[in-house]
C-alpha cells in the first residue's frame, strides 16, 4: 500500500521548516490529495472533527491546489470550509477557535513557480512528530474529482480583524500616516481595512496582480531604495508590508529604513511585557543583551521549533510566553500580561507586531527610529544565494564543521573563530564578536547567510564578502 513518503520520493514535494513545499508542476492534484488524506487521517487519530478550514494566498496555482484538497476531504466525509484568500494566521485563528484542523495553500515568499501546504491541528501548527506520522500514513486509492470550493465563509477574515481592533481600539492609531506596500500579499486589503478602521491615514503603493516573492528576511536592493524614496515623498510614520501569505511583517521606520524582523520581535515582546522568549539561533544577540526578559531559549530555525521552545517554557511554569523569528513573524504562546484579552496564537503573525509597534509610536510619542536606537547596538543582515543545490550546501557544511580553518580560509573571514554553534547550520562567533551563520534553506534550493556586527555598514560588508566567497562553491 502507498504511503505519503512514497509520494514524496516520487514527486519531490517535501516537508521543509514550515509545511510542505515544491514546484507547482510537482504539486499535482494527486500529490495534494495524498498530503490531505495523510493529514486528515493523522488528525483523526487524536481529534474528533467533521470540518477542515481551507484558505489560499494569491499565487496563480493556489485555487487549483485548494480544490484538490477539498476533493479529498469530501471523499473522506469531511466538509471543507473555504475561508478565501486571507493571511495564514487568520486561518489559524479560525481553526483554533473552532477546534478544527486547517490547511493553508501558500508558498509564502518563495518564487511563484513553487507553492506549498501548511497544516494546522485543532490546537495549533502541526509538529515534527505529526509530520513523521503523516509520512507513514497508508493511503487508500481515491480519484480526485472536480469538487467546487464552497462559497467563501467570511468569519475568519472578520474575526482576525476584530482581534486587533480590540487591541488598539477604534481610532487607536488616529494621527498616524502610513504607507502600505501592497505588492501581491494576501493580506493587503485586510491590512488597509484594519489600519484605516484604527484611524490611521493609509497610502497604498505598488499593488501587483502578478505574484511578487517578497522575502522579509532578505529585502531586495530595489525595495531598500523604495523604502527610502517613499519615506521622503510621503513623510509617513512607517511603511507597512508583509510577505506573500501575511505571516511575516515588513516594517520601516519614518525614514524608510526597513527594520530587521528580530528587532521588530524584540520591540513587540517588550511592549507586550513578555517575560519568557523562544527564538531561533539566527536572531540578534540584542535580545539577551537588552535585559528585558527573564529567560530566552534558542532553537532551530522554523516555527515548529520555536513552538516547541514555547511549550518547553510553559511546561516549566513560565507565564508571559512568546516567540519570534528573524523574519519578523511573532508567535504568542500565552495571553499577554499587557493585553490579557489577547488570546494566544502560536503561529507566525504579521499583524500583531504591526499593531503593537504603531500603538507604541502613538502612545509613547516615540518614532520607530528612536525606539530602535534605545536597544543594544548590534546589527544583523542576511541574504541568500538562490539556485544553490541543497545537497551541495549540506556537503560544504559537513566538511567545514570538522575543519574550521578550511572554512575561515575559504570564506576569507576577517578574524579567527572563537565559538561554533551547530544548532541549525553552522553559526560562527569570531574573536571580534562578529557572527557568521550559514544554513541551507528548508524550503528551496537556497543557501542562506546571516551575519551580526557593530554597525549596519559593517554587517553589510561582512555579508557581501561572505556571500561573494560562498558563491564560488555553487
Amino acid at each position: 500500500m502507498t504511503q505519503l513518503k512514497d509520494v514524496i520520493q516520487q514527486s519531490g514535494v517535501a516537508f521543509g521548516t514550515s509545511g510542505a513545499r515544491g514546484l507547482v508542476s510537482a504539486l499535482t492534484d494527486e500529490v495534494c490529495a495524498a498530503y490531505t488524506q495523510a493529514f486528515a487521517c493523522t488528525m483523526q487519530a487524536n481529534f474528533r472533527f467533521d470540518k477542515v478550514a481551507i484558505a489560499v494566498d494569491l499565487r496563480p496555482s493556489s485555487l487549483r491546489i485548494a480544490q484538490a484538497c477539498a476533493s479529498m476531504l469530501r471523499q473522506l466525509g469531511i466538509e471543507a470550509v473555504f475561508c478565501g484568500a486571507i493571511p495564514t494566521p487568520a486561518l489559524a485563528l479560525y481553526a483554533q477557535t473552532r477546534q478544527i484542523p486547517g490547511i493553508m495553500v501558500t508558498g509564502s515568499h518563495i518564487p511563484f513557480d513553487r507553492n506549498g501546504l501548511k497544516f494546522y491541528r485543532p490546537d495549533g501548527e502541526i509538529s515534527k512528530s505529526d509530520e513523521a506520522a503523516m509520512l507513514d500514513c497508508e493511503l487508500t486509492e481515491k480519484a480526485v474529482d472536480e469538487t467546487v470550493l464552497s462559497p467563501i465563509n467570511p468569519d475568519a477574515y472578520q474575526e482576525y480583524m476584530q482581534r486587533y481592533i480590540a487591541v488598539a481600539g477604534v481610532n487607536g492609531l488616529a494621527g498616524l500616516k502610513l504607507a502600505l506596500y501592497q505588492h501581491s500579499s494576501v493580506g493587503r486589503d485586510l491590512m488597509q481595512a484594519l489600519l484605516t478602521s484604527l484611524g490611521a491615514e493609509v497610502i497604498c503603493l505598488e499593488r501587483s496582480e502578478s505574484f511578487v516573492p517578497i522575502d522579509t528576511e532578505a529585502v531586495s536592493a530595489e525595495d531598500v531604495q523604495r523604502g527610502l524614496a517613499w519615506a521622503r515623498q510621503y513623510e509617513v510614520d512607517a511603511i507597512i508590508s508583509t510577505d506573500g501569505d501575511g505571516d511575516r511583517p515588513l516594517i520601516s521606520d519614518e525614514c524608510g529604513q526597513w527594520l530587521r524582523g528580530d528587532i521588530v520581535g524584540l520591540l513587540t515582546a517588550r511592549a507586550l511585557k513578555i517575560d519568557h522568549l523562544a527564538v531561533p539561533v539566527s536572531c540578534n544577540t540584542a535580545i539577551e543583551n537588552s535585559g528585558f526578559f527573564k529567560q530566552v531559549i534558542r532553537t532551530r530555525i522554523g516555527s515548529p521549533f520555536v513552538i516547541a521552545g514555547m511549550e518547553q517554557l510553559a511546561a516549566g511554569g513560565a507565564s508571559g510566553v512568546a516567540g519570534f523569528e528573524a523574519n519578523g513573524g511573532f508567535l504568542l504562546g500565552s495571553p499577554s500580561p499587557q493585553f490579557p484579552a489577547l488570546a494566544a496564537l502560536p503561529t507566525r503573525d504579521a499583524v500583531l507586531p504591526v499593531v503593537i509597534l504603531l500603538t507604541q509610536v502613538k502612545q509613547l510619542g516615540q518614532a520607530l527610529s528612536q525606539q530602535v536606537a534605545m536597544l543594544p547596538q548590534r546589527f544583523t543582515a542576511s541574504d541568500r544565494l538562490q539556485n544553490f543545490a541543497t545537497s551541495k550546501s549540506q556537503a560544504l557544511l559537513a566538511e567545514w564543521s570538522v575543519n574550521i580553518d578550511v572554512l575561515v580560509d575559504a570564506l576569507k573571514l576577517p578574524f579567527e573563530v572563537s565559538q561554533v554553534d551547530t544548532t541549525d547550520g553552522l553559526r560562527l562567533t569570531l574573536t571580534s564578536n562578529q557572527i557568521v551563520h550559514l544554513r541551507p534553506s528548508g524550503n528551496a534550493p537556497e543557501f542562506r547567510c546571516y551575519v551580526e556586527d557593530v554597525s549596519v555598514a559593517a554587517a553589510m560588508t561582512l555579508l557581501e564578502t561572505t556571500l561573494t566567497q560562498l558563491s564560488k562553491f555553487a
Side-chain angles (χ1 to χ4, degrees):
M1 186 171 285
T2 303
Q3 294 180 312
L4 182 61
K5 58 188 174 186
D6 301 320
V7 175
I8 288 174
Q9 185 174 14
Q10 294 166 10
S11 67
V13 178
F15 285 113
T17 52
S18 180
R21 301 281 176 86
L23 291 167
V24 169
S25 57
L27 278 159
T28 63
D29 289 354
E30 291 71 24
V31 168
C32 297
Y35 265 99
T36 302
Q37 184 178 166
F39 172 59
C41 293
T42 299
M43 292 299 98
Q44 286 174 329
N46 297 289
F47 302 97
R48 293 177 61 86
F49 58 91
D50 58 7
K51 297 181 176 67
V52 171
I54 298 180
V56 296
D57 68 9
L58 298 179
R59 291 168 185 265
S61 58
S62 291
L63 274 177
R64 189 266 302 169
I65 292 172
Q67 287 174 327
C69 296
S71 171
M72 175 52 68
L73 290 171
R74 185 187 65 78
Q75 294 181 67
L76 295 172
I78 300 170
E79 179 185 350
V81 181
F82 184 49
C83 298
I86 57 172
T88 296
L91 172 78
L93 179 67
Y94 178 87
Q96 176 182 291
T97 301
R98 288 157 180 79
Q99 296 186 316
I100 62 173
I103 301 174
M104 180 72 189
V105 182
T106 180
S108 186
H109 65 279
I110 60 179
F112 80 96
D113 63 340
R114 298 170 182 270
N115 212 326
L117 297 165
K118 289 184 179 178
F119 299 101
Y120 286 88
R121 297 157 49 103
D123 56 358
E125 288 189 27
I126 62 169
S127 65
K128 290 300 177 183
S129 61
D130 291 323
E131 289 181 5
M134 287 174 63
L135 293 177
D136 292 331
C137 183
E138 294 186 348
L139 306 175
T140 56
E141 290 290 334
K142 292 184 182 293
V144 179
D145 60 25
E146 296 185 359
T147 293
V148 177
L149 291 167
S150 62
I152 294 173
N153 184 315
D155 292 347
Y157 176 100
Q158 293 169 355
E159 290 168 14
Y160 188 62
M161 282 270 292
Q162 188 55 46
R163 173 181 173 87
Y164 293 112
I165 292 173
V167 169
V170 176
N171 293 322
L173 301 182
L176 296 187
K177 184 180 181 182
L178 308 170
L180 178 61
Y181 178 19
Q182 291 190 306
H183 60 92
S184 56
S185 168
V186 72
R188 59 192 182 183
D189 294 331
L190 182 148
M191 189 73 83
Q192 179 187 2
L194 174 62
L195 295 175
T196 301
S197 69
L198 295 177
E201 177 185 351
V202 181
I203 302 165
C204 295
L205 303 169
E206 292 290 323
R207 186 184 183 91
S208 173
E209 297 311 315
S210 58
F211 190 79
V212 181
I214 296 291
D215 187 347
T216 63
E217 209 169 1
V219 180
S220 69
E222 182 181 15
D223 282 337
V224 168
Q225 292 306 312
R226 278 176 170 159
L228 297 173
W230 288 337
R232 288 193 299 268
Q233 181 177 355
Y234 298 108
E235 298 182 335
V236 293
D237 293 290
I239 304 169
I240 304 301
S241 190
T242 76
D243 67 338
D245 70 320
D247 69 347
R248 308 177 184 189
L250 185 60
I251 305 172
S252 90
D253 64 17
E254 73 283 2
C255 302
Q257 296 280 357
W258 299 111
L259 275 59
R260 296 288 307 174
D262 42 14
I263 297 302
V264 168
L266 171 54
L267 290 171
T268 302
R270 180 185 65 172
L272 291 171
K273 298 192 183 306
I274 295 298
D275 293 322
H276 300 83
L277 274 181
V279 297
V281 66
S282 57
C283 283
N284 196 307
T285 58
I287 297 166
E288 288 90 349
N289 294 340
S290 69
F292 295 152
F293 312 105
K294 293 179 180 177
Q295 185 179 7
V296 178
I297 61 174
R298 296 270 179 161
T299 74
R300 291 179 61 188
I301 295 170
S303 56
F305 302 109
V306 175
I307 291 168
M310 293 194 299
E311 291 172 347
Q312 177 186 331
L313 289 168
S319 59
V321 176
F324 56 81
E325 298 186 274
N327 56 42
F330 198 92
L331 302 91
L332 190 60
S334 68
S336 158
Q338 183 70 6
F339 301 98
L342 189 64
L345 185 59
T347 193
R348 280 194 303 252
D349 191 359
V351 172
L352 177 59
V354 167
V355 171
I356 293 299
L357 292 195
L358 294 178
T359 300
Q360 290 293 101
V361 170
K362 178 76 181 296
Q363 292 180 351
L364 301 178
Q366 286 185 335
L368 281 174
S369 64
Q370 293 175 292
Q371 296 182 46
V372 173
M374 295 171 64
L375 298 174
Q377 297 299 286
R378 295 289 294 174
F379 297 89
T380 50
S382 63
D383 206 340
R384 83 278 200 202
L385 295 175
Q386 295 178 297
N387 302 313
F388 199 119
T390 302
S391 58
K392 180 65 175 178
S393 57
Q394 290 174 337
L396 282 172
L397 292 190
E399 175 188 349
W400 289 340
S401 64
V402 296
N403 198 331
I404 296 299
D405 290 338
V406 171
L407 181 153
V408 170
D409 182 63
L411 298 185
K412 307 298 184 203
L413 296 181
F415 294 91
E416 295 299 312
V417 174
S418 62
Q419 184 177 344
V420 177
D421 188 330
T422 57
T423 300
D424 198 338
L426 197 56
R427 184 174 174 87
L428 312 170
T429 301
L430 310 186
T431 54
S432 57
N433 270 340
Q434 294 167 298
I435 293 174
V436 175
H437 184 181
L438 306 175
R439 173 183 171 270
S441 171
N443 298 319
E446 300 173 347
F447 207 170
R448 288 188 175 269
C449 179
Y450 315 79
V451 303
E452 184 175 318
D453 213 326
V454 295
S455 70
V456 172
M460 290 304 301
T461 297
L462 180 59
L463 178 66
E464 291 166 5
T465 301
T466 304
L467 284 175
T468 296
Q469 296 303 123
L470 194 61
S471 67
K472 298 176 180 179
F473 294 90

